[in-house]
Amino acid sequence: MKRILNYINGEMKGPRSGKFLENKDPSRGQVYSLVPDSDETDVLEAIEAAQKAFISWSETSVATRVLFLRKIASKIEQNLEALALAESIDSGKPLNLARTVDIPRSQSNFEFFADAMTQFHGEAFKTDSRALNYVTYSPLGVVACISPWNLPLYLFSWKIAPALAAGNTVVAKPSEMTPMTAFLLSEIAIEVGLPKGVLNIIHGTGPDVGVPLVNHPLIKAVSFTGSTKTGRSIAQSTAASFKKLSLEMGGKNANIIFSDCDFEKTLNMTLRSSFLNQGQICLCGSRIFIQSAIYEKFKSALVEKTLKLKLGDPLKIETDQGALVSEAHRDKVLSYIELAQKEGGKVLCGGKVGKLSGDLAQGYYIQPTLIEGLSASSRINQEEVFGPVATLIPFHDLDDVIQMANSTQYGLSASVWTQDLTKGHKVAQRLEAGIVWINTWMLRDLRTPFGGVKESGIGREGGKQALEFMSEVKNICIGLE
Ligand code: NAD
């Protein structure tokens, strides 16, 4: 069975303890590889290697650092099929999704931050005859990058690329549930000759790897994407040491559909935003607010389309819906469907385990599910389910829907569907969310700031914001008199 290894100081190695965890293919419920069950000793070794590499990497010219990023991007492009296959097997997502979204975006992350770094610069201010001020951006030191399982390489690279571009060295931890593409990335780092210690990848669990990593005094900043619960625990445990934190956390995003929307376009995008990656994207719209005048018509059309989604083997091209990431996660999602029914919700379609045959029979499938009849304050409309489950809620007017949309602890994203752009703009202004799409969804320009408000996030990633986060800013003032 394939053994994934840690990548420390330029070398692949097993965990010092010799212990490994089982890694399952969720589409078949079968263990197919072993992932290091690393602990603090491995983390310390990686941090020491990163600290040692820091002086040389931070002094390496931008042009050289950027060249390494481009070489990594190019290797990702060359290995698109192998990486997409690995991502699909590891996470249960349709291969075609990994091939068209996850892996190309991982490549773009390295390309984008290579380009962005060439344009990232300090500033100078001639105060008056007394002084010249200038502002510099310097690398921080060793940075921790921690990512979740839903978009494994996509989010891992989204953190590592700006950290390295800005001149930091990195100790990164992928999710223990989807470690394979992070492992393949370490092979790529070796192939392109990335200097040893610049990037270190440690596999293992949150408590055994994540906790000692974020709390180590040499870690200057933590870039984390994952649940609000974990983000809160990182914020609490690092508060006393005042580490820089970028926390990208959970969401309970609203799709707001006005009766004057472009019906077909809204319908197709709502289907996508509800169920892409089995609803396991932080940006998925899990609460669908539909204006009363079109509620019944939109509901029927959405149910009809949902019933046509093909649940099946993630490796087959015709599959729309693959498996959920794990048995535990599938059970959590099912428990929310049950809860919604107990609270009086009506399941319009789906609602059950997806039963497949042959070697897929043991996989973790759930039928794409739509539920109606629950208030915006019910638990399923307040808590993050993170699966193929969306609720439908009618609304009367703008004030009514904004109040409901803003009524959760979360504030990551929202989408607004109307042909009246003035109205769309007004709603967007009043929504408590870091990103609002009007008449589109998940369209990302990597130059824009990405992140959430309220309990969805602190800080912004993307473009200039990511490079600023990964740098220490300093003002130097020269007296001229
Ligand atoms: P998670 O919080 O359980 O784990 C995320 C990562 O943190 C994993 O690598 C995990 O091992 C590690 N970890 C766990 N406990 C830790 C600790 N105490 N200290 C340090 N690291 C620790 O999240 P998940 O279940 O892997 O991912 C799903 C969540 O991620 C959802 O809530 C989803 O909304 C969120 N997410 C957010 C965004 C965003 O951009 N806002 C993007 C994708 C996913």
Side-chain angles (χ1 to χ4, degrees):
M1 188 161 305
K2 189 170 180 77
R3 277 178 186 239
I4 287 170
L5 297 172
N6 288 330
Y7 171 54
I8 303 178
N9 205 25
E11 284 172 25
M12 299 293 206
K13 41 170 82 173
R16 290 249 185 113
S17 67
K19 288 195 275 181
F20 284 79
L21 300 163
E22 291 183 335
N23 183 30
K24 282 189 176 176
D25 165 357
S27 71
R28 284 155 175 83
Q30 297 293 331
V31 176
Y32 84 104
S33 66
L34 297 172
V35 57
D37 188 7
S38 311
D39 61 26
E40 192 169 3
T41 53
D42 305 292
V43 173
L44 288 179
E45 193 184 340
I47 294 176
E48 273 166 27
Q51 178 68 12
K52 222 165 136 195
F54 175 66
I55 295 192
S56 148
W57 183 247
S58 60
E59 288 175 358
T60 298
S61 71
V62 168
T64 303
R65 294 203 302 257
V66 158
L67 194 63
F68 277 112
L69 264 65
R70 291 198 208 288
K71 282 186 185 164
I72 294 173
S74 155
K75 283 278 172 196
I76 293 176
E77 186 176 24
Q78 286 163 27
N79 291 293
L80 169 71
E81 277 306 312
L83 287 163
L85 183 63
E87 204 72 295
S88 171
I89 293 172
D90 224 18
S91 66
K93 69 175 64 202
L95 172 58
N96 204 39
L97 181 65
R99 182 188 281 138
T100 54
V101 176
D102 291 74
I103 307 306
R105 171 60 191 272
S106 309
Q107 176 193 337
S108 304
N109 287 339
F110 281 102
E111 282 166 352
F112 172 78
F113 283 109
D115 289 344
M117 193 62 206
T118 65
Q119 305 301 312
F120 187 57
H121 54 78
E123 292 165 297
F125 303 87
K126 176 92 195 324
T127 307
D128 49 33
S129 59
R130 291 169 305 150
L132 172 69
N133 277 281
Y134 64 98
V135 175
T136 59
Y137 290 93
S138 310
L140 297 165
V142 185
V143 167
C145 298
I146 301 182
S147 57
W149 49 259
N150 65 323
L151 298 168
L153 192 60
Y154 177 131
L155 290 172
F156 203 51
S157 53
W158 178 238
K159 298 176 175 305
I160 291 171
L164 295 181
N168 303 289
T169 52
V170 171
V171 179
K173 184 195 128 27
S175 169
E176 60 276 29
M177 281 192 273
T178 52
M180 192 57 86
T181 48
F183 172 60
L184 298 175
L185 181 69
S186 26
E187 291 186 340
I188 287 178
I190 292 174
E191 278 174 47
V192 305
L194 193 69
K196 60 182 190 175
V198 166
L199 171 64
N200 304 272
I201 298 176
I202 306 291
H203 297 272
T205 65
D208 289 339
V209 174
V211 170
L213 175 58
V214 300
N215 291 313
H216 195 284
L218 284 177
I219 295 295
K220 301 294 180 212
V222 179
S223 172
F224 165 82
T225 300
S227 64
T228 297
K229 184 169 170 245
T230 306
R232 179 174 286 117
S233 126
I234 293 174
Q236 283 167 344
S237 73
T238 58
S241 54
F242 304 109
K243 284 183 209 290
K244 281 184 102 170
L245 293 184
S246 170
L247 304 175
E248 303 291 349
M249 303 181 285
K252 191 73 199 173
N253 311 313
N255 288 8
I256 299 178
I257 300 169
F258 286 97
S259 48
D260 63 355
C261 68
D262 174 334
F263 193 90
E264 278 308 308
K265 180 179 174 190
T266 307
L267 184 62
N268 289 330
M269 289 298 270
T270 302
L271 186 78
R272 191 172 159 80
S273 70
S274 303
F275 300 120
L276 194 69
N277 201 32
Q278 299 73 248
Q280 304 169 122
I281 298 182
C282 55
L283 304 169
C284 277
S286 52
R287 295 178 297 156
I288 307 172
F289 295 99
I290 307 163
Q291 200 158 22
S292 306
I294 60 162
Y295 183 83
E296 289 301 328
K297 184 180 167 202
F298 196 88
K299 175 177 95 177
S300 314
L302 187 62
V303 168
E304 196 185 320
K305 281 202 176 273
T306 303
L307 286 169
K308 286 190 186 143
L309 288 175
K310 181 140 181 41
L311 184 79
D313 186 347
L315 300 182
K316 296 220 163 114
I317 189 81
E318 65 271 18
T319 296
D320 300 306
Q321 293 283 289
L324 272 73
V325 74
S326 67
E327 189 172 12
H329 188 58
R330 182 201 58 191
D331 293 347
K332 178 190 149 190
V333 174
L334 285 172
S335 77
Y336 269 105
I337 298 173
E338 262 174 45
L339 174 73
Q341 287 170 290
K342 277 194 197 133
E343 286 189 321
K346 179 179 171 199
V347 172
L348 299 168
C349 58
K352 295 200 167 61
V353 161
K355 289 211 185 325
L356 300 178
S357 56
D359 63 342
L360 303 173
Q362 302 305 315
Y364 313 129
Y365 298 90
I366 294 186
Q367 298 167 344
T369 301
L370 293 170
I371 299 173
E372 72 168 353
L374 287 167
S375 75
S377 60
S378 63
R379 277 188 60 196
I380 198 155
N381 284 325
Q382 290 288 318
E383 297 174 23
E384 186 182 46
V385 177
F386 217 54
V389 180
T391 56
L392 275 53
I393 308 164
F395 71 90
H396 297 291
D397 59 27
L398 196 142
D399 289 330
D400 176 30
V401 75
I402 289 174
Q403 185 278 325
M404 288 193 284
N406 285 342
S407 71
T408 78
Q409 71 191 94
Y410 295 110
L412 186 56
S413 73
S415 66
V416 182
W417 301 86
T418 171
Q419 305 221 46
D420 175 350
L421 278 185
T422 307
K423 180 165 70 187
H425 175 72
K426 275 189 192 156
V427 175
Q429 286 290 318
R430 289 176 57 192
L431 285 173
E432 294 165 356
I435 314 150
V436 180
W437 284 286
I438 300 176
N439 297 331
T440 186
W441 176 70
M442 215 172 125
L443 198 162
R444 293 276 301 121
D445 179 329
L446 302 190
R447 293 169 300 179
T448 59
F450 177 89
V453 302
K454 302 200 287 190
E455 295 193 13
S456 286
I458 298 177
R460 292 292 181 272
E461 298 190 339
K464 200 166 130 238
Q465 279 80 11
L467 293 174
E468 280 173 0
F469 173 75
M470 292 294 179
S471 306
E472 194 61 76
V473 62
K474 183 184 281 176
N475 171 208
I476 297 169
C477 178
I478 306 173
L480 298 176
E481 285 178 331

